Coordinates of all heavy atoms in Angstrom, one line a residue:
M1 N 144.0 15.4 -29.4 CA 143.4 14.5 -28.5 C 142.9 15.2 -27.3 O 143.6 16.0 -26.6 CB 144.5 13.4 -28.0 CG 144.0 12.5 -27.1 SD 145.3 11.3 -26.7 CE 144.5 10.3 -25.5
Q2 N 141.6 14.9 -27.0 CA 141.0 15.6 -25.8 C 140.9 14.6 -24.7 O 140.5 13.4 -24.9 CB 139.6 16.1 -26.2 CG 139.0 17.0 -25.2 CD 137.8 17.7 -25.7 OE1 137.3 17.3 -26.8 NE2 137.3 18.7 -25.0
I3 N 141.2 15.0 -23.5 CA 141.2 14.1 -22.3 C 139.9 14.3 -21.6 O 139.5 15.5 -21.3 CB 142.4 14.4 -21.3 CG1 143.7 14.2 -22.0 CG2 142.3 13.7 -20.1 CD1 144.9 14.6 -21.2
D4 N 139.2 13.2 -21.3 CA 138.0 13.2 -20.5 C 138.4 13.4 -19.0 O 138.8 12.5 -18.4 CB 137.2 11.9 -20.7 CG 136.0 11.9 -19.9 OD1 135.6 12.9 -19.2 OD2 135.3 10.8 -19.9
K5 N 138.3 14.6 -18.5 CA 138.7 14.9 -17.2 C 137.8 14.2 -16.1 O 138.3 14.0 -15.0 CB 138.7 16.4 -16.9 CG 139.8 17.1 -17.7 CD 139.9 18.6 -17.4 CE 141.0 19.2 -18.3 NZ 141.1 20.6 -18.1
S6 N 136.7 13.8 -16.5 CA 135.8 13.1 -15.5 C 136.3 11.7 -15.2 O 136.0 11.1 -14.2 CB 134.4 13.1 -16.0 OG 134.3 12.2 -17.1
A7 N 137.2 11.2 -16.1 CA 137.8 9.9 -15.9 C 139.0 9.9 -15.1 O 139.6 8.9 -14.7 CB 138.0 9.3 -17.3
I8 N 139.6 11.1 -14.8 CA 140.8 11.2 -14.0 C 140.5 11.2 -12.5 O 139.6 11.9 -12.1 CB 141.5 12.5 -14.4 CG1 141.9 12.5 -15.9 CG2 142.8 12.7 -13.5 CD1 142.5 13.8 -16.4
H9 N 141.2 10.4 -11.8 CA 141.0 10.3 -10.4 C 142.4 10.4 -9.7 O 143.3 9.7 -10.1 CB 140.3 9.0 -10.0 CG 140.3 8.8 -8.5 ND1 139.4 9.4 -7.7 CD2 141.1 8.0 -7.7 CE1 139.5 9.1 -6.5 NE2 140.6 8.2 -6.4
W10 N 142.5 11.2 -8.8 CA 143.7 11.3 -8.0 C 143.4 11.4 -6.5 O 142.3 11.9 -6.2 CB 144.6 12.4 -8.5 CG 144.0 13.8 -8.3 CD1 143.3 14.4 -9.3 CD2 144.1 14.7 -7.2 NE1 142.8 15.6 -8.8 CE2 143.3 15.8 -7.5 CE3 144.6 14.6 -6.0 CZ2 143.2 16.9 -6.7 CZ3 144.5 15.6 -5.1 CH2 143.7 16.8 -5.5
E11 N 144.3 11.0 -5.7 CA 144.0 11.1 -4.2 C 145.4 11.2 -3.5 O 146.3 10.4 -3.9 CB 143.3 9.9 -3.8 CG 142.8 9.9 -2.4 CD 141.9 8.7 -2.1 OE1 141.5 7.9 -3.0 OE2 141.6 8.5 -0.9
V12 N 145.5 12.0 -2.5 CA 146.7 12.1 -1.7 C 146.3 11.3 -0.4 O 145.4 11.6 0.3 CB 147.1 13.5 -1.4 CG1 148.3 13.6 -0.4 CG2 147.4 14.3 -2.7
L13 N 147.2 10.3 -0.1 CA 147.0 9.6 1.1 C 148.0 10.0 2.1 O 149.2 10.1 1.8 CB 147.1 8.1 0.8 CG 146.2 7.5 -0.2 CD1 146.5 6.1 -0.5 CD2 144.7 7.7 0.2
E14 N 147.6 10.2 3.3 CA 148.5 10.7 4.4 C 148.5 9.7 5.5 O 147.4 9.1 5.9 CB 148.0 12.0 4.9 CG 148.9 12.6 6.0 CD 148.4 13.9 6.5 OE1 147.4 14.5 6.0 OE2 148.9 14.4 7.5
G15 N 149.6 9.4 6.1 CA 149.7 8.5 7.2 C 150.7 7.4 6.9 O 151.6 7.5 6.0
D16 N 150.6 6.3 7.6 CA 151.5 5.1 7.4 C 151.1 4.4 6.1 O 150.0 3.8 6.0 CB 151.3 4.2 8.6 CG 152.3 3.0 8.5 OD1 152.8 2.7 7.5 OD2 152.5 2.4 9.6
C17 N 152.0 4.5 5.1 CA 151.7 3.9 3.8 C 151.4 2.4 3.9 O 150.6 1.9 3.1 CB 152.8 4.3 2.8 SG 154.4 3.6 3.2
L18 N 152.1 1.7 4.8 CA 151.9 0.3 4.8 C 150.5 -0.1 5.3 O 150.0 -1.1 4.9 CB 153.0 -0.4 5.7 CG 154.4 -0.5 5.1 CD1 155.3 -1.0 6.1 CD2 154.3 -1.4 3.9
E19 N 149.9 0.8 6.1 CA 148.5 0.5 6.5 C 147.6 0.5 5.2 O 146.8 -0.4 5.1 CB 148.0 1.5 7.5 CG 148.6 1.3 8.9 CD 148.1 2.3 9.9 OE1 147.0 2.9 9.7 OE2 148.8 2.6 10.9
Y20 N 147.8 1.5 4.4 CA 147.0 1.5 3.1 C 147.3 0.4 2.2 O 146.4 -0.3 1.7 CB 147.2 2.9 2.4 CG 146.7 4.1 3.1 CD1 147.6 4.9 3.8 CD2 145.4 4.4 3.0 CE1 147.1 6.1 4.4 CE2 144.9 5.5 3.7 CZ 145.7 6.3 4.3 OH 145.2 7.5 5.0
L21 N 148.6 0.1 2.1 CA 149.0 -1.0 1.2 C 148.6 -2.3 1.6 O 148.3 -3.2 0.8 CB 150.6 -0.9 1.0 CG 151.1 0.3 0.3 CD1 152.6 0.4 0.4 CD2 150.7 0.3 -1.2
N22 N 148.6 -2.6 2.9 CA 148.2 -3.9 3.5 C 146.7 -4.1 3.4 O 146.2 -5.2 3.6 CB 148.7 -4.0 4.9 CG 150.2 -4.2 4.9 OD1 150.8 -4.7 4.0 ND2 150.8 -3.8 6.0
Q23 N 145.9 -3.0 3.3 CA 144.4 -3.2 3.2 C 144.0 -3.8 1.9 O 142.9 -4.3 1.8 CB 143.8 -1.8 3.4 CG 143.8 -1.2 4.8 CD 143.3 0.2 4.8 OE1 142.8 0.7 3.8 NE2 143.4 0.8 6.0
G24 N 144.9 -3.7 0.9 CA 144.6 -4.3 -0.4 C 143.5 -3.5 -1.2 O 143.0 -4.0 -2.2
A25 N 143.2 -2.3 -0.8 CA 142.2 -1.5 -1.4 C 142.7 -0.6 -2.5 O 142.0 0.0 -3.3 CB 141.4 -0.6 -0.4
I26 N 144.1 -0.6 -2.6 CA 144.7 0.2 -3.6 C 145.3 -0.6 -4.8 O 145.9 -1.6 -4.5 CB 145.9 1.0 -3.0 CG1 145.4 1.9 -1.8 CG2 146.5 1.9 -4.0 CD1 146.5 2.5 -1.0
S27 N 145.0 -0.3 -6.0 CA 145.5 -1.1 -7.1 C 145.5 -0.2 -8.4 O 144.9 0.9 -8.4 CB 144.7 -2.3 -7.4 OG 143.3 -2.0 -7.7
N28 N 146.2 -0.7 -9.4 CA 146.2 0.0 -10.7 C 146.7 1.4 -10.6 O 146.1 2.3 -11.2 CB 144.8 -0.1 -11.4 CG 144.9 0.1 -12.8 OD1 145.9 -0.3 -13.5 ND2 143.9 0.7 -13.4
I29 N 147.8 1.6 -9.9 CA 148.3 3.0 -9.7 C 149.2 3.3 -10.9 O 150.1 2.5 -11.2 CB 149.1 3.1 -8.4 CG1 148.1 2.7 -7.2 CG2 149.7 4.5 -8.2 CD1 146.9 3.6 -7.0
H30 N 149.1 4.5 -11.4 CA 149.9 4.9 -12.6 C 151.0 5.8 -12.2 O 152.0 5.9 -12.9 CB 149.0 5.6 -13.6 CG 148.0 4.7 -14.2 ND1 148.3 4.0 -15.4 CD2 146.8 4.2 -13.8 CE1 147.3 3.2 -15.7 NE2 146.4 3.3 -14.7
L31 N 151.0 6.5 -11.0 CA 152.0 7.3 -10.6 C 152.1 7.3 -9.0 O 151.1 7.5 -8.4 CB 151.8 8.8 -11.0 CG 152.7 9.8 -10.4 CD1 154.2 9.7 -10.9 CD2 152.2 11.2 -10.7
T32 N 153.3 7.0 -8.5 CA 153.5 7.1 -7.1 C 154.8 8.0 -6.9 O 155.8 7.8 -7.6 CB 153.8 5.7 -6.5 OG1 152.7 4.8 -6.8 CG2 154.1 5.7 -5.0
F33 N 154.6 8.9 -5.9 CA 155.7 9.7 -5.5 C 156.1 9.3 -4.1 O 155.4 9.5 -3.2 CB 155.3 11.2 -5.6 CG 156.4 12.1 -5.3 CD1 157.3 12.6 -6.3 CD2 156.7 12.6 -4.0 CE1 158.3 13.4 -6.0 CE2 157.7 13.4 -3.7 CZ 158.5 13.9 -4.7
V34 N 157.3 8.7 -3.9 CA 157.8 8.2 -2.7 C 158.8 9.2 -2.1 O 159.8 9.4 -2.8 CB 158.4 6.8 -2.8 CG1 158.8 6.3 -1.4 CG2 157.3 5.9 -3.4
D35 N 158.6 9.8 -1.0 CA 159.5 10.7 -0.3 C 159.6 10.3 1.1 O 159.1 10.9 2.0 CB 159.0 12.1 -0.4 CG 160.0 13.2 0.1 OD1 161.1 12.8 0.4 OD2 159.6 14.3 0.2
P36 N 160.4 9.2 1.4 CA 160.5 8.6 2.7 C 161.4 9.5 3.6 O 162.2 10.3 3.2 CB 161.1 7.3 2.5 CG 162.0 7.5 1.3 CD 161.2 8.5 0.4
P37 N 161.3 9.2 4.9 CA 162.3 9.8 5.8 C 163.6 9.3 5.4 O 163.8 8.2 4.9 CB 161.9 9.3 7.2 CG 160.4 8.9 7.1 CD 160.3 8.4 5.6
F38 N 164.7 10.1 5.7 CA 166.0 9.8 5.2 C 166.9 9.2 6.3 O 168.1 9.2 6.1 CB 166.7 11.1 4.6 CG 165.9 11.6 3.4 CD1 165.7 13.0 3.3 CD2 165.4 10.8 2.4 CE1 165.1 13.5 2.2 CE2 164.8 11.3 1.3 CZ 164.6 12.7 1.2
R39 N 166.4 8.8 7.4 CA 167.2 8.3 8.5 C 168.3 9.2 8.9 O 169.5 8.9 9.0 CB 167.8 6.9 8.1 CG 168.0 6.0 9.3 CD 168.5 4.7 8.9 NE 169.9 4.6 8.6 CZ 170.9 4.6 9.5 NH1 170.7 4.8 10.7 NH2 172.1 4.5 9.1
Q40 N 167.9 10.4 9.3 CA 168.8 11.4 9.7 C 168.6 11.8 11.2 O 169.2 12.8 11.7 CB 168.7 12.7 8.9 CG 169.1 12.5 7.5 CD 169.0 13.7 6.7 OE1 168.3 14.7 7.0 NE2 169.7 13.8 5.6
G41 N 167.8 11.0 11.9 CA 167.5 11.3 13.3 C 166.6 12.5 13.6 O 166.6 13.0 14.7
K42 N 165.8 12.8 12.6 CA 164.8 13.9 12.8 C 163.7 13.4 13.7 O 163.4 12.2 13.8 CB 164.3 14.4 11.4 CG 165.3 15.1 10.6 CD 164.7 15.7 9.4 CE 165.8 16.5 8.7 NZ 165.2 17.2 7.5
D43 N 163.0 14.4 14.3 CA 161.9 14.1 15.2 C 160.6 14.1 14.5 O 159.9 15.1 14.4 CB 161.9 15.1 16.3 CG 160.9 14.7 17.4 OD1 160.5 13.6 17.5 OD2 160.5 15.6 18.2
Y44 N 160.2 12.9 13.9 CA 158.9 12.8 13.2 C 157.9 12.3 14.2 O 158.2 11.6 15.2 CB 159.0 11.8 12.1 CG 159.8 12.2 10.9 CD1 161.1 11.7 10.7 CD2 159.3 13.2 10.0 CE1 161.9 12.1 9.6 CE2 160.1 13.6 8.9 CZ 161.3 13.1 8.7 OH 162.1 13.5 7.6
R45 N 156.7 12.7 14.0 CA 155.6 12.4 14.9 C 155.3 10.9 14.9 O 155.0 10.2 15.9 CB 154.3 13.2 14.5 CG 153.2 13.0 15.5 CD 152.1 13.9 15.1 NE 151.0 13.7 16.0 CZ 149.8 14.3 15.8 NH1 149.6 15.1 14.8 NH2 148.8 14.0 16.6
F46 N 155.3 10.3 13.7 CA 154.9 8.9 13.5 C 156.0 7.9 13.0 O 155.7 6.9 12.5 CB 153.7 8.8 12.6 CG 152.5 9.5 13.2 CD1 152.0 10.7 12.6 CD2 151.8 9.1 14.3 CE1 150.9 11.3 13.0 CE2 150.7 9.7 14.8 CZ 150.3 10.9 14.2
F47 N 157.2 8.3 13.0 CA 158.3 7.5 12.4 C 159.6 7.6 13.2 O 160.0 8.8 13.6 CB 158.5 7.9 11.0 CG 159.5 7.0 10.3 CD1 159.1 5.8 9.8 CD2 160.8 7.4 10.1 CE1 160.1 5.0 9.2 CE2 161.8 6.6 9.5 CZ 161.4 5.4 9.0
D48 N 160.2 6.5 13.5 CA 161.5 6.5 14.2 C 162.6 6.7 13.2 O 163.0 5.8 12.5 CB 161.7 5.2 15.0 CG 163.0 5.1 15.6 OD1 163.8 6.1 15.7 OD2 163.4 4.0 16.1
D49 N 163.1 7.9 13.1 CA 164.1 8.2 12.0 C 165.5 7.9 12.5 O 166.5 8.2 11.8 CB 164.0 9.7 11.7 CG 164.6 10.0 10.3 OD1 164.5 9.2 9.4 OD2 165.2 11.1 10.2
S50 N 165.6 7.3 13.7 CA 166.9 6.9 14.2 C 167.1 5.4 14.2 O 168.0 4.9 14.9 CB 167.1 7.5 15.6 OG 167.1 8.9 15.5
Q51 N 166.3 4.7 13.5 CA 166.3 3.2 13.6 C 167.6 2.7 13.0 O 168.2 3.4 12.1 CB 165.1 2.6 13.0 CG 164.9 3.0 11.5 CD 163.5 2.5 11.0 OE1 163.4 1.4 10.6 NE2 162.5 3.3 11.1
P52 N 168.0 1.5 13.3 CA 169.2 0.9 12.8 C 169.1 0.8 11.2 O 168.0 0.7 10.7 CB 169.3 -0.5 13.4 CG 168.4 -0.4 14.6 CD 167.3 0.6 14.3
N53 N 170.3 0.9 10.6 CA 170.4 0.8 9.1 C 169.6 -0.4 8.5 O 168.8 -0.2 7.6 CB 171.9 0.7 8.8 CG 172.1 1.2 7.4 OD1 171.5 2.1 6.9 ND2 173.0 0.4 6.7
D54 N 169.8 -1.6 9.0 CA 169.2 -2.7 8.5 C 167.6 -2.7 8.6 O 166.9 -3.0 7.7 CB 169.6 -4.0 9.2 CG 171.1 -4.4 8.8 OD1 171.6 -3.8 7.8 OD2 171.7 -5.2 9.5
K55 N 167.2 -2.2 9.7 CA 165.7 -2.1 9.9 C 165.1 -1.1 8.9 O 164.1 -1.3 8.3 CB 165.4 -1.7 11.4 CG 163.9 -1.6 11.7 CD 163.7 -1.3 13.1 CE 162.2 -1.2 13.4 NZ 161.9 -0.8 14.8
Y56 N 165.8 0.1 8.8 CA 165.3 1.1 7.8 C 165.2 0.6 6.4 O 164.2 0.7 5.8 CB 166.2 2.3 7.9 CG 165.9 3.4 6.9 CD1 164.9 4.3 7.1 CD2 166.7 3.5 5.7 CE1 164.6 5.3 6.1 CE2 166.4 4.5 4.8 CZ 165.3 5.4 5.0 OH 165.0 6.3 4.1
W57 N 166.3 -0.1 5.9 CA 166.3 -0.5 4.5 C 165.3 -1.7 4.3 O 164.7 -1.8 3.3 CB 167.7 -0.8 4.1 CG 168.5 0.4 3.9 CD1 169.4 0.9 4.7 CD2 168.3 1.4 2.9 NE1 169.9 2.1 4.3 CE2 169.2 2.5 3.2 CE3 167.4 1.6 1.8 CZ2 169.3 3.6 2.4 CZ3 167.5 2.7 1.0 CH2 168.4 3.7 1.3
T58 N 165.1 -2.5 5.3 CA 164.1 -3.6 5.2 C 162.7 -3.0 5.1 O 161.9 -3.4 4.3 CB 164.2 -4.5 6.5 OG1 165.5 -5.1 6.5 CG2 163.2 -5.6 6.4
W59 N 162.4 -2.0 5.9 CA 161.1 -1.3 5.9 C 160.9 -0.7 4.5 O 159.9 -0.8 3.9 CB 161.1 -0.2 7.0 CG 160.0 0.7 6.8 CD1 158.6 0.5 7.1 CD2 160.0 2.1 6.3 NE1 157.9 1.7 6.8 CE2 158.7 2.6 6.3 CE3 161.1 2.8 5.8 CZ2 158.5 3.9 5.9 CZ3 160.8 4.1 5.4 CH2 159.5 4.6 5.4
L60 N 161.9 0.0 4.0 CA 161.8 0.7 2.8 C 161.6 -0.3 1.6 O 160.9 -0.1 0.7 CB 163.0 1.6 2.5 CG 162.9 2.7 1.5 CD1 161.6 3.6 1.8 CD2 164.1 3.6 1.5
E61 N 162.3 -1.4 1.7 CA 162.2 -2.4 0.7 C 160.8 -3.0 0.7 O 160.2 -3.2 -0.4 CB 163.2 -3.6 0.9 CG 163.2 -4.6 -0.2 CD 164.3 -5.6 -0.1 OE1 165.1 -5.6 0.9 OE2 164.4 -6.4 -1.0
E62 N 160.2 -3.2 1.9 CA 158.8 -3.7 1.9 C 157.8 -2.7 1.3 O 156.9 -3.0 0.6 CB 158.4 -3.9 3.4 CG 157.0 -4.4 3.6 CD 156.6 -4.6 5.0 OE1 157.4 -4.3 5.9 OE2 155.5 -5.1 5.2
V63 N 158.0 -1.4 1.6 CA 157.2 -0.3 1.1 C 157.3 -0.3 -0.4 O 156.2 -0.4 -1.2 CB 157.5 1.1 1.6 CG1 156.8 2.2 0.8 CG2 157.2 1.2 3.1
L64 N 158.5 -0.3 -1.0 CA 158.7 -0.2 -2.4 C 158.2 -1.5 -3.1 O 157.6 -1.4 -4.2 CB 160.1 0.0 -2.8 CG 160.6 1.4 -2.4 CD1 162.1 1.6 -2.6 CD2 159.8 2.5 -3.1
S65 N 158.3 -2.6 -2.5 CA 157.8 -3.9 -3.1 C 156.3 -3.9 -3.2 O 155.8 -4.3 -4.2 CB 158.3 -5.1 -2.2 OG 157.7 -6.3 -2.6
R66 N 155.6 -3.4 -2.2 CA 154.2 -3.3 -2.2 C 153.7 -2.2 -3.2 O 152.7 -2.5 -3.9 CB 153.6 -3.0 -0.8 CG 153.8 -4.2 0.1 CD 153.3 -4.0 1.5 NE 153.7 -5.0 2.4 CZ 153.1 -6.1 2.6 NH1 152.0 -6.4 1.9 NH2 153.6 -7.0 3.5
V67 N 154.4 -1.1 -3.3 CA 154.1 -0.1 -4.3 C 154.2 -0.7 -5.7 O 153.4 -0.5 -6.6 CB 154.9 1.2 -4.1 CG1 154.8 2.1 -5.3 CG2 154.5 1.9 -2.8
Y68 N 155.3 -1.3 -5.9 CA 155.6 -1.9 -7.2 C 154.4 -2.9 -7.6 O 154.0 -3.0 -8.7 CB 156.9 -2.7 -7.3 CG 157.2 -3.3 -8.6 CD1 157.7 -2.6 -9.7 CD2 157.1 -4.7 -8.8 CE1 158.0 -3.2 -10.9 CE2 157.3 -5.3 -10.0 CZ 157.8 -4.5 -11.0 OH 158.0 -5.1 -12.2
G69 N 154.0 -3.7 -6.6 CA 152.9 -4.7 -6.8 C 151.6 -4.1 -7.2 O 150.8 -4.7 -7.9
I70 N 151.3 -2.8 -6.9 CA 150.1 -2.2 -7.2 C 150.2 -1.2 -8.4 O 149.2 -0.6 -8.8 CB 149.4 -1.5 -6.0 CG1 150.3 -0.3 -5.5 CG2 149.1 -2.4 -4.9 CD1 149.7 0.6 -4.6
T71 N 151.4 -1.1 -8.9 CA 151.6 -0.2 -10.0 C 151.1 -0.8 -11.3 O 151.4 -2.0 -11.7 CB 153.1 0.1 -10.1 OG1 153.5 0.8 -8.9 CG2 153.4 1.1 -11.3
A72 N 150.3 -0.1 -12.1 CA 149.8 -0.5 -13.4 C 151.0 -0.7 -14.4 O 152.0 -0.1 -14.3 CB 148.8 0.5 -13.9
E73 N 150.7 -1.6 -15.3 CA 151.7 -1.8 -16.4 C 152.0 -0.4 -17.1 O 151.1 0.3 -17.5 CB 151.3 -2.8 -17.4 CG 152.3 -3.1 -18.4 CD 151.9 -4.2 -19.4 OE1 151.1 -5.1 -19.0 OE2 152.3 -4.2 -20.5
G74 N 153.2 0.0 -17.1 CA 153.6 1.3 -17.7 C 153.6 2.4 -16.7 O 153.9 3.5 -17.0
G75 N 153.2 2.1 -15.5 CA 153.2 3.1 -14.4 C 154.6 3.5 -14.0 O 155.5 2.8 -14.3
V76 N 154.7 4.6 -13.2 CA 156.0 5.0 -12.7 C 156.0 5.2 -11.2 O 155.0 5.5 -10.6 CB 156.4 6.3 -13.5 CG1 156.6 6.1 -14.9 CG2 155.5 7.4 -13.2
I77 N 157.2 5.1 -10.7 CA 157.4 5.4 -9.3 C 158.6 6.5 -9.2 O 159.7 6.2 -9.7 CB 157.9 4.2 -8.5 CG1 156.8 3.1 -8.6 CG2 158.2 4.5 -7.0 CD1 157.2 1.7 -8.0
Y78 N 158.2 7.6 -8.7 CA 159.3 8.6 -8.5 C 159.7 8.5 -7.0 O 158.9 8.4 -6.1 CB 158.7 10.0 -8.7 CG 158.5 10.4 -10.1 CD1 157.3 10.2 -10.7 CD2 159.5 10.9 -10.9 CE1 157.1 10.5 -12.1 CE2 159.4 11.2 -12.2 CZ 158.1 11.0 -12.8 OH 158.0 11.2 -14.1
F79 N 161.0 8.5 -6.8 CA 161.6 8.2 -5.5 C 162.6 9.2 -5.1 O 163.5 9.5 -5.8 CB 162.3 6.8 -5.6 CG 162.7 6.3 -4.3 CD1 161.9 5.6 -3.4 CD2 164.0 6.5 -3.9 CE1 162.3 5.1 -2.2 CE2 164.5 6.1 -2.6 CZ 163.6 5.4 -1.8
M80 N 162.3 9.9 -4.0 CA 163.2 10.9 -3.5 C 164.1 10.2 -2.4 O 163.6 9.5 -1.5 CB 162.5 12.0 -2.8 CG 161.5 12.7 -3.7 SD 162.3 13.6 -5.1 CE 163.2 14.8 -4.2
Q81 N 165.4 10.5 -2.5 CA 166.4 10.0 -1.5 C 167.6 10.8 -1.6 O 167.9 11.4 -2.6 CB 166.6 8.5 -1.7 CG 167.3 7.7 -0.6 CD 166.8 7.8 0.8 OE1 167.3 8.7 1.5 NE2 165.8 7.0 1.1
R82 N 168.4 10.7 -0.5 CA 169.7 11.4 -0.5 C 170.7 10.8 -1.4 O 170.7 9.6 -1.6 CB 170.2 11.5 0.9 CG 169.3 12.3 1.8 CD 170.0 12.5 3.1 NE 171.3 13.1 2.8 CZ 172.0 13.8 3.7 NH1 171.5 14.0 4.9 NH2 173.2 14.2 3.4
E83 N 171.6 11.6 -2.0 CA 172.6 11.1 -2.9 C 173.5 10.0 -2.2 O 173.8 9.0 -2.9 CB 173.6 12.3 -3.2 CG 173.4 12.8 -4.6 CD 174.4 13.9 -4.9 OE1 175.6 13.6 -5.0 OE2 173.9 15.0 -5.0
K84 N 173.8 10.2 -1.0 CA 174.6 9.2 -0.3 C 174.0 7.8 -0.2 O 174.7 6.8 0.0 CB 175.0 9.6 1.1 CG 173.8 9.6 2.1 CD 174.3 10.0 3.5 CE 173.1 9.7 4.5 NZ 173.6 9.9 5.9
N85 N 172.7 7.7 -0.4 CA 172.0 6.5 -0.4 C 171.7 5.9 -1.8 O 171.0 4.9 -1.9 CB 170.7 6.6 0.4 CG 170.9 7.0 1.8 OD1 171.9 6.5 2.4 ND2 170.0 7.7 2.4
A86 N 172.2 6.5 -2.8 CA 171.8 6.1 -4.2 C 172.1 4.6 -4.5 O 171.2 3.9 -5.0 CB 172.5 7.0 -5.2
E87 N 173.2 4.1 -4.0 CA 173.5 2.7 -4.3 C 172.6 1.8 -3.6 O 172.1 0.8 -4.3 CB 175.0 2.4 -3.9 CG 175.4 1.0 -4.2 CD 176.8 0.7 -3.8 OE1 177.6 1.7 -3.5 OE2 177.2 -0.5 -3.7
Q88 N 172.3 2.1 -2.4 CA 171.3 1.2 -1.6 C 169.9 1.3 -2.2 O 169.2 0.3 -2.4 CB 171.3 1.6 -0.2 CG 170.5 0.7 0.7 CD 171.0 -0.7 0.8 OE1 172.2 -1.0 0.7 NE2 170.2 -1.7 1.0
V89 N 169.5 2.5 -2.6 CA 168.2 2.7 -3.3 C 168.1 1.9 -4.5 O 167.1 1.2 -4.8 CB 167.9 4.2 -3.5 CG1 166.7 4.4 -4.4 CG2 167.8 4.9 -2.2
L90 N 169.1 1.9 -5.4 CA 169.1 1.2 -6.6 C 169.0 -0.3 -6.4 O 168.4 -1.1 -7.1 CB 170.3 1.5 -7.5 CG 170.3 3.0 -8.0 CD1 171.6 3.3 -8.7 CD2 169.1 3.2 -9.0
K91 N 169.7 -0.8 -5.3 CA 169.6 -2.2 -5.0 C 168.2 -2.7 -4.7 O 167.8 -3.7 -5.1 CB 170.5 -2.6 -3.8 CG 172.0 -2.6 -4.1 CD 172.8 -2.9 -2.9 CE 174.3 -2.8 -3.1 NZ 175.0 -3.1 -1.9
I92 N 167.5 -1.9 -3.9 CA 166.2 -2.3 -3.5 C 165.1 -2.0 -4.6 O 164.1 -2.7 -4.6 CB 165.7 -1.8 -2.1 CG1 165.6 -0.3 -2.2 CG2 166.6 -2.2 -1.0 CD1 165.0 0.3 -0.9
L93 N 165.4 -1.1 -5.4 CA 164.4 -0.8 -6.5 C 164.6 -1.9 -7.5 O 163.6 -2.3 -8.2 CB 164.7 0.5 -7.2 CG 164.3 1.7 -6.4 CD1 164.7 3.0 -7.1 CD2 162.8 1.8 -6.2

């Protein structure tokens, strides 16, 4: 089987993912790699990594819900998170 490389499109988006997701311009995604901040109090330029537990998980649930909504049938979401958060991650996924 030969793949028509001209039909393949990929793009790396940088910035606040919710801004892109809320614009509604993204759809039919076949692969998403999610590597969110881990709420360890790191000094990120555009993210409060010291926010309260409930606020963090609500935000992450919103992000994942929107990503799921634009994922094509049969598409996949790869999700990076710390081991200690595995149970919470599975709940929101």
Side-chain angles (χ1 to χ4, degrees):
M1 177 177 176
Q2 192 169 11
I3 297 174
D4 178 8
K5 292 183 181 179
S6 67
I8 297 173
H9 173 78
W10 60 270
E11 187 174 352
V12 175
L13 302 176
E14 181 181 355
D16 184 342
C17 63
L18 284 175
E19 287 182 23
Y20 291 104
L21 294 168
N22 288 333
Q23 290 173 2
I26 304 170
S27 64
N28 200 35
I29 303 300
H30 293 266
L31 170 66
T32 301
F33 184 87
V34 182
D35 187 7
F38 298 137
R39 205 176 82 71
Q40 295 181 338
K42 291 189 176 183
D43 187 20
Y44 290 105
R45 186 173 177 189
F46 299 109
F47 184 79
D48 176 11
D49 200 37
S50 297
Q51 58 188 272
N53 199 41
D54 288 344
K55 183 177 179 183
Y56 173 78
W57 289 107
T58 299
W59 166 78
L60 201 50
E61 185 172 6
E62 180 182 4
V63 169
L64 293 174
S65 174
R66 292 180 192 272
V67 167
Y68 180 79
I70 64 169
T71 300
E73 187 174 330
V76 297
I77 301 170
Y78 286 95
F79 186 86
M80 300 296 294
Q81 191 52 264
R82 295 192 51 161
E83 257 181 65
K84 71 177 188 172
N85 295 327
E87 184 178 342
Q88 186 67 26
V89 168
L90 292 173
K91 283 180 186 177
I92 65 172
L93 286 174

